[in-house]
């Protein structure tokens, strides 16, 4: 989008007023592929005369095949070509300089610190699409973060397929150095890490969290499973005991730590006994937040050819059992916030006295929200202090002390 703006293109508010429609696609599981294809098909139907570009991971993964089978897209642009979009479309008269448009809710931005992944989990198509891990340099990331802070961003979410691997494609892990460098910036902000592979959790970062509250103690550790045999087949090397020990260590070092995890059910060979052991792990782990996905059989991955594929119906049942079991655990944990005064990032105004926002325990888009009551006007993108007075479902209700 920045390249396009640089070339004089202007972002349309809706496809109705656009000259070109770009569908930036996802392709790592079937549901995502279908959603991306549907976006192309529905836009072609609605806008028969407009140019439609299918960009991103779906084009990367199935480019040659789609060239023949998807005439509804005028052009495919794979992930390596995204920045060349301007060469394809040409420049247009208009503005001169473009900078990264901010698409997240006010006050928050994602900063990608690496691309690709070298963990090669046997169910995952991401290394096939994105390739091996490629870390950005620390100065490059810091420059982007400084630019975002200058534009009023309060929360920087450092993202990567596995941020614990940051720098492993060079001398060795550099996450600690990256965080140290970012914390030298003398401003008020939050840094949130998104996705740490639990098999190589970088323990040295915990002391940075203890020293500096700008690193929000929120850890997203996608365990995927807890049964040793299943994890082994997934090319992951933990088990229920090592993962419980990790949680104990994090919570020991940071008593207010919030932990989110993701489970994958229906992996080939997952038996009832394996699933029951996952349920036991869920009870013992007492996660604050949990997401659960059904296995998607992806061609090209090692698990594609594994025997004993689990029926989709069984996987869906297991997913719903895990999700139901999580509800009281998450609610109990959220209740701990009631009565506490806490910083809230304001994201949206709902009315003159009602706003939506998030506290550190709520990552953007995936966790619950915080409803803010304030008699004075609040500005989205800023941080206010409020007292939590109740919980509604997975949302907290806060009144601002003004
Ligand atoms: S660590 Fe994540 S992105 Fe990397 S291969 Fe495993 S599941 Fe895929």
């Amino acid at each position: 989008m920045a390249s396009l703006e640089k070339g004089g293109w202007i972002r349309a508010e809706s496809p109705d007023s656009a000259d070109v429609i770009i569908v930036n696609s996802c392709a790592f599981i079937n549901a995502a592929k279908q959603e991306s294809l549907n976006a192309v098909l529905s836009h072609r139907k609605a806008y028969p005369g407009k140019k439609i570009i299918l960009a991103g991971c779906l084009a990367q993964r199935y480019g040659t095949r789609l060239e023949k089978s998807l005439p509804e897209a005028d052009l495919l642009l794979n992930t390596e070509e995204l920045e060349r979009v301007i060469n394809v479309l040409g420049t247009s008269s208009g503005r001169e300089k473009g900078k990264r448009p901010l698409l997240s809710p006010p006050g928050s931005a994602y900063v990608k610190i690496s691309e690709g992944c070298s963990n090669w989990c046997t169910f995952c198509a991401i290394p096939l699409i994105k390739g091996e891990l490629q870390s950005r340099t620390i100065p490059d990331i810091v420059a982007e973060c400084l630019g975002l802070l200058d534009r009023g961003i309060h929360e920087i979410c450092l993202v990567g397929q596995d941020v614990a691997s940051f720098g492993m494609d060079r001398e060795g892990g550099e996450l600690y150095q990256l965080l140290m460098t970012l914390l030298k910036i003398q401003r008020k902000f939050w840094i949130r890490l998104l996705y740490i592979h639990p098999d190589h959790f970088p323990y040295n970062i915990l002391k940075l969290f203890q020293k500096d509250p700008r690193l929000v103690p929120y850890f997203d550790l996608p365990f995927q499973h807890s049964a040793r045999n299943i994890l082994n087949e997934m090319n992951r090397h933990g088990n229920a005991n090592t993962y419980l020990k990790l949680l104990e260590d994090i919570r020991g070092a940071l008593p207010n730590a919030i932990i989110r995890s993701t489970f994958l059910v229906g992996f080939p060979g997952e038996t009832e006994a394996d699933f029951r052991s996952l349920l036991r792990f869920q009870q013992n782990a007492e996660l604050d937040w949990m997401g659960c996905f059904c296995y998607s059989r992806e061609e090209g991955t090692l698990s594609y050819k594994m025997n004993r594929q689990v029926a989709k119906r069984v996987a869906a049942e297991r997913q719903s059992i895990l999700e139901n079991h999580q509800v009281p655990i998450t609610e109990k944990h959220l209740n701990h916030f009631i009565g506490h005064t806490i910083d809230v990032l304001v994201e949206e105004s709902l009315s003159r006295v009602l706003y939506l926002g998030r506290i550190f325990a709520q990552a953007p888009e995936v966790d619950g929200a915080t409803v803010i009551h304030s008699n004075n006007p609040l500005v989205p993108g800023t941080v206010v202090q409020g007292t939590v007075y109740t919980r509604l479902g997975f949302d907290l209700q806060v009144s601002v002390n003004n």
Side-chain angles (χ1 to χ4, degrees):
M1 289 176 71
S3 315
L4 285 169
E5 280 205 8
K6 224 177 207 164
W9 290 82
I10 294 169
R11 180 151 57 107
E13 286 306 316
S14 93
D16 287 337
S17 54
D19 296 314
V20 180
I21 297 168
I22 303 178
V23 175
N24 197 18
S25 61
C26 182
F28 88 118
I29 54 172
N30 270 328
K33 287 186 266 187
Q34 203 51 56
E35 193 179 329
S36 303
L37 282 176
N38 288 347
V40 172
L41 298 178
S42 61
H43 283 89
R44 172 52 71 223
K45 199 165 166 208
Y47 308 101
K50 295 198 179 189
K51 193 180 189 85
I52 298 184
I53 299 181
L54 172 64
C57 291
L58 195 66
Q60 175 81 21
R61 192 167 175 200
Y62 297 108
T64 335
R65 241 193 275 175
L66 289 175
E67 263 166 28
K68 294 196 187 92
S69 61
L70 192 69
E72 290 82 0
D74 297 301
L75 192 73
L76 304 181
L77 213 54
N78 67 36
T79 49
E80 287 143 25
E81 294 173 318
L82 284 184
E83 289 187 17
R84 293 201 301 110
V85 64
I86 195 65
N87 303 348
V88 177
L89 289 179
T91 52
S92 169
S93 61
R95 288 181 269 177
E96 273 181 8
K97 200 168 174 329
K99 55 183 174 182
R100 172 187 162 177
L102 298 174
L103 302 177
S104 304
S108 181
Y110 294 99
V111 172
K112 201 187 263 188
I113 64 170
S114 59
E115 191 65 276
C117 184
S118 299
N119 290 318
W120 292 98
C121 301
T122 57
F123 57 83
C124 180
I126 286 176
L128 303 173
I129 305 170
K130 297 274 187 178
E132 298 268 359
L133 173 73
Q134 286 178 297
S135 306
R136 290 172 67 188
T137 65
I138 293 180
D140 191 28
I141 298 167
V142 173
E144 182 173 2
C145 293
L146 278 170
L148 290 167
L149 294 172
D150 283 345
R151 292 167 77 185
I153 290 296
H154 182 78
E155 177 189 50
I156 291 174
C157 298
L158 299 180
V159 289
Q161 261 79 36
D162 168 22
V163 295
S165 297
F166 176 70
M168 298 267 193
D169 48 331
R170 294 187 286 254
E171 302 282 291
E174 294 171 17
L175 185 62
Y176 181 88
Q177 287 90 323
L178 171 64
L179 297 180
M180 279 273 286
T181 316
L182 287 172
L183 292 173
K184 285 189 187 136
I185 301 172
Q186 300 290 320
R187 308 224 196 138
K188 218 179 152 201
F189 55 89
W190 288 350
I191 295 177
R192 187 186 295 279
L193 298 181
L194 287 178
Y195 325 124
I196 298 182
H197 192 309
D199 288 357
H200 40 248
F201 184 85
Y203 273 81
N204 59 354
I205 63 171
L206 287 178
K207 50 180 185 284
L208 295 177
F209 280 81
Q210 285 170 326
K211 269 195 237 145
D212 199 325
R214 292 178 300 170
L215 280 176
V216 301
Y218 177 102
F219 299 90
D220 190 332
L221 311 166
F223 291 123
Q224 309 298 0
H225 216 283
S226 64
R228 186 194 296 264
N229 53 315
I230 296 291
L231 285 165
N232 216 17
E233 291 289 309
M234 288 176 167
N235 192 29
R236 299 171 80 100
H237 307 292
N239 59 58
N241 290 338
T242 57
Y243 290 165
L244 288 174
K245 171 80 171 62
L246 174 60
L247 295 176
E248 196 185 312
D249 290 343
I250 295 174
R251 287 167 170 155
L254 300 161
N256 61 342
I258 294 292
I259 317 259
R260 180 182 178 86
S261 191
T262 311
F263 297 130
L264 183 66
V265 287
F267 184 83
E270 184 192 57
T271 61
E272 261 311 301
D274 295 327
F275 178 62
R276 277 200 303 278
S277 79
L278 181 55
L279 284 173
R280 274 196 304 279
F281 176 75
Q282 181 187 28
Q283 290 306 315
N284 293 330
E286 288 244 6
L287 301 165
D288 298 279
W289 301 105
M290 183 218 68
C292 183
F293 296 90
C294 291
Y295 172 74
S296 174
R297 191 178 177 203
E298 291 302 315
E299 54 191 345
T301 61
L302 278 173
S303 68
Y304 184 81
K305 290 195 176 133
M306 285 181 184
N307 296 325
R308 302 196 296 149
Q309 298 278 334
V310 174
K312 285 196 173 132
R313 180 188 51 79
V314 173
E317 270 169 25
R318 290 176 180 171
Q319 178 189 33
S320 112
I321 294 171
L322 273 167
E323 285 172 350
N324 289 334
H325 282 203
Q326 186 61 35
V327 173
I329 304 175
T330 295
E331 289 181 346
K332 184 177 96 185
H333 285 211
L334 285 172
N335 286 346
H336 294 153
F337 287 101
I338 297 175
H340 286 256
T341 298
I342 196 159
D343 282 351
V344 191
L345 174 62
V346 184
E347 293 196 306
E348 193 185 334
S349 162
L350 299 176
S351 75
R352 215 176 43 78
V353 291
L354 264 191
Y355 299 81
L356 268 187
R358 283 183 294 111
I359 62 168
F360 82 93
Q362 297 162 325
E365 299 168 274
V366 285
D367 302 328
T370 296
V371 180
I372 311 160
H373 296 249
S374 170
N375 291 326
N376 292 332
L378 303 178
V379 181
T382 58
V383 173
V384 292
Q385 274 215 328
T387 303
V388 182
Y389 64 89
T390 192
R391 170 189 64 75
L392 265 186
F394 286 171
D395 295 342
L396 294 173
Q397 304 254 345
V398 158
S399 66
V400 167
N401 320 320
N402 50 28

